[in-house]
Amino acid sequence: MFHSNRKKMDSNKEFDFLGKIYVWSIVFEPLLFFVIFSQALVGITGNVSRILQFIVILLLLYKYLLSYKSRIKIFNPFFKQYRWYFFYLSFALISGIFGVISNAYTPTLSSSFSSTNASSFSSFINSPYARPLFEYFIAFYYFAYFVILPQSLLRNKDAIDYCLKIFIRVFFISFFIGVVDYLSEALFQIALVPRHFWDWQHVGLRFHGLAGEPRDAFVYLFFGFGLLLLNEKWSGNRGSKYFWFLLFFIAAMLTQSASGFIGLIIAVVLIIVFYIPRMSMRLLIPFIVTGIIISAASIYGITNSERIMDYLKLAPNALKAIETGITLPYLLQIQIVNIWPIWIRLLEIMQLNLIPLFIGTGMGSTSIANSVWYSENGVFNPHANIIRVAFEGGIIGTMLYIKAFLQPLRELPIYQKNKNEIIIYMLLILGVNFGHRSSTLFIFLGLTLLVYNALYKDHQKS
């Protein structure tokens, strides 16, 4: 829908230097190879994207606050494509209040978050409430920067052409670098590309490209295919997308990412729950066949990954170690941030304390809960984002979170066939993001709304 008249779309001077800097800031966001200093230093990832985002924000402040020619524009949080995410944020505040009341933000170990003889400001920074408050800011910032802002900065044909072109080119550069790196490691035992620029540590025989850790690459690969889908809708030119999907899927299997495989399982469950009841019989059989193929490939990847099988073998020892307090094996030590929050909720259920299960204990409470396993101050969020979202927002918050990414697409003014395809793929990206947290979920939603809203406006003019 809307393809034939795309060339009529306005191509004006609104796409300026600020718009181009913004495009590069979101293009670099998932490329964690370009992390230039450790997250432990400041609590946020120090990559090139953050620097570009800071420049964009400064330019926006200059444009709208210091320039008399511009008027400040305030977005409407109750706009139909944004409101469900702000419903989620509002509910998260309720969860946070309950978390404060129930002492979910009080660390168990006295050595954590300590600030002896510190100033009042330093005491706040090192208090257990500082990071949770920052988590609320991050949750708002991600949606504002990656979903709302492109609707203002990339409003015309030139801007969208430029954005998709740069995104896809950089994605393929990362992909082919990953292929060369993997083959070099497999054939010659020579590791070419580290996970991050700042530490120059290699990840072994696992695909990752410029996306950072293999688990980050897993999510980025599925995001890249989503870019191809959007570009196909935007340009009206059908390409060999299924061929590329197969290659990207194989590369995802070669990451050997446990969180990635978990994310695929979650994605299948989400599609079954949120989409299959609306699916026609004509589409149901092809979907089932595709699901079987993907599931079989995932199982093959899991059973042939020595690393993942080691996790599975040690899993029965996790509960015993937690109950008895014995020292955890190394592999469980690095996974305890995923295990401990689940254990806490299970204990609460057995004690018939069901309120945290339904409403959670607020953003940042997962890191506070995990801090009992560490003597130093830091951020100890789970690797699996589904654990984090469910622990902090409960069942209700998790449902609102899913709704926030699905409902805007359901309300898009497009043919049902196109809507079905984009919703299925959003569920897939949402699932792999539940496996491992990534900004690609927000970027994909922002770009999807950008492309389809622009196509609809162009259609209205024709």
Side-chain angles (χ1 to χ4, degrees), residues 242-313:
Y242 296 113
F243 168 76
W244 288 114
F245 181 82
L246 177 61
L247 289 185
F248 299 158
F249 186 80
I250 293 172
M253 296 299 103
L254 295 177
T255 65
Q256 300 184 52
S257 169
S259 59
F261 291 124
I262 291 172
L264 273 184
I265 294 172
I266 296 172
V268 171
V269 173
L270 289 175
I271 293 173
I272 290 173
V273 172
F274 289 95
Y275 187 74
I276 281 189
R278 299 178 173 88
M279 186 179 292
S280 65
M281 290 301 298
R282 181 177 62 85
L283 297 175
L284 185 59
I285 294 177
F287 174 79
I288 292 175
V289 173
T290 303
I292 291 174
I293 293 174
I294 292 176
S295 300
S298 300
I299 293 172
Y300 178 82
I302 292 173
T303 55
N304 284 273
S305 171
E306 182 179 347
R307 177 173 169 273
I308 296 177
M309 293 307 295
D310 287 341
Y311 283 137
L312 294 177
K313 290 176 183 177

Side-chain angles (χ1 to χ4, degrees), residues 408-451:
L409 304 186
R410 287 174 175 165
E411 296 182 358
L412 284 173
I414 58 178
Y415 288 140
Q416 191 62 41
K417 179 181 178 181
N418 292 338
K419 190 179 296 187
N420 290 341
E421 184 178 47
I422 204 67
I423 287 176
I424 288 176
Y425 206 76
M426 172 56 78
L427 288 168
L428 179 58
I429 291 185
L430 185 60
V432 296
N433 269 268
F434 269 141
H436 177 64
R437 189 184 191 190
S438 169
S439 56
T440 55
L441 176 63
F442 294 88
I443 297 173
F444 184 70
L445 176 61
L447 294 180
T448 301
L449 296 179
L450 178 69
V451 167

Side-chain angles (χ1 to χ4, degrees), residues 110-362:
S110 59
S111 57
S112 296
F113 305 98
S114 62
S115 57
T116 307
N117 299 324
S119 66
S120 57
F121 178 75
S122 297
S123 298
F124 171 75
I125 293 299
N126 291 307
S127 74
Y129 297 104
R131 181 66 193 190
L133 287 174
F134 191 54
E135 293 289 354
Y136 280 93
F137 169 76
I138 292 174
F140 168 79
Y141 175 83
Y142 268 39
F143 195 84
Y145 194 88
F146 298 119
V147 178
I148 297 176
L149 202 53
Q151 317 308 317
S152 297
L153 296 182
L154 309 175
R155 290 183 294 180
N156 57 64
K157 174 185 176 298
D158 289 345
I160 300 174
D161 282 343
Y162 182 85
C163 180
L164 291 176
K165 178 183 69 174
I166 297 301
F167 245 123
I168 291 174
R169 285 183 180 179
V170 171
F171 172 80
F172 274 108
I173 289 172
S174 173
F175 176 73
F176 287 119
I177 287 177
V179 171
V180 172
D181 175 60
Y182 187 88
L183 292 177
S184 175
E185 179 78 25
L187 300 176
F188 309 110
Q189 290 75 52
I190 299 176
L192 299 176
V193 183
R195 58 177 189 173
H196 305 310
F197 180 83
W198 81 273
D199 63 5
W200 213 260
Q201 291 187 10
H202 295 277
V203 299
L205 187 58
R206 301 172 66 191
F207 184 94
H208 63 109
L210 299 180
E213 297 276 4
R215 58 176 176 261
D216 296 302
F218 191 101
V219 179
Y220 187 56
L221 285 164
F222 285 94
F223 168 72
F225 183 73
L227 292 175
L228 296 184
L229 289 180
L230 289 179
N231 188 61
E232 179 182 282
K233 299 302 179 185
W234 175 249
S235 65
N237 299 323
R238 293 188 175 275
S240 53
K241 60 182 180 181
Y242 296 113
F243 168 76
W244 288 114
F245 181 82
L246 177 61
L247 289 185
F248 299 158
F249 186 80
I250 293 172
M253 296 299 103
L254 295 177
T255 65
Q256 300 184 52
S257 169
S259 59
F261 291 124
I262 291 172
L264 273 184
I265 294 172
I266 296 172
V268 171
V269 173
L270 289 175
I271 293 173
I272 290 173
V273 172
F274 289 95
Y275 187 74
I276 281 189
R278 299 178 173 88
M279 186 179 292
S280 65
M281 290 301 298
R282 181 177 62 85
L283 297 175
L284 185 59
I285 294 177
F287 174 79
I288 292 175
V289 173
T290 303
I292 291 174
I293 293 174
I294 292 176
S295 300
S298 300
I299 293 172
Y300 178 82
I302 292 173
T303 55
N304 284 273
S305 171
E306 182 179 347
R307 177 173 169 273
I308 296 177
M309 293 307 295
D310 287 341
Y311 283 137
L312 294 177
K313 290 176 183 177
L314 287 172
N317 298 327
L319 296 181
K320 180 180 179 181
I322 291 173
E323 289 177 333
T324 60
I326 63 175
T327 302
L328 295 172
Y330 172 73
L331 285 177
L332 290 182
Q333 288 179 23
I334 60 179
Q335 292 295 328
I336 191 63
V337 292
N338 297 312
I339 300 171
W340 185 242
I342 298 175
W343 179 248
I344 290 175
R345 287 291 179 262
L346 287 175
L347 289 179
E348 290 168 345
I349 292 172
M350 289 188 287
Q351 296 167 2
L352 300 181
N353 179 15
L354 302 181
I355 297 179
L357 174 66
F358 285 96
I359 72 170
T361 46

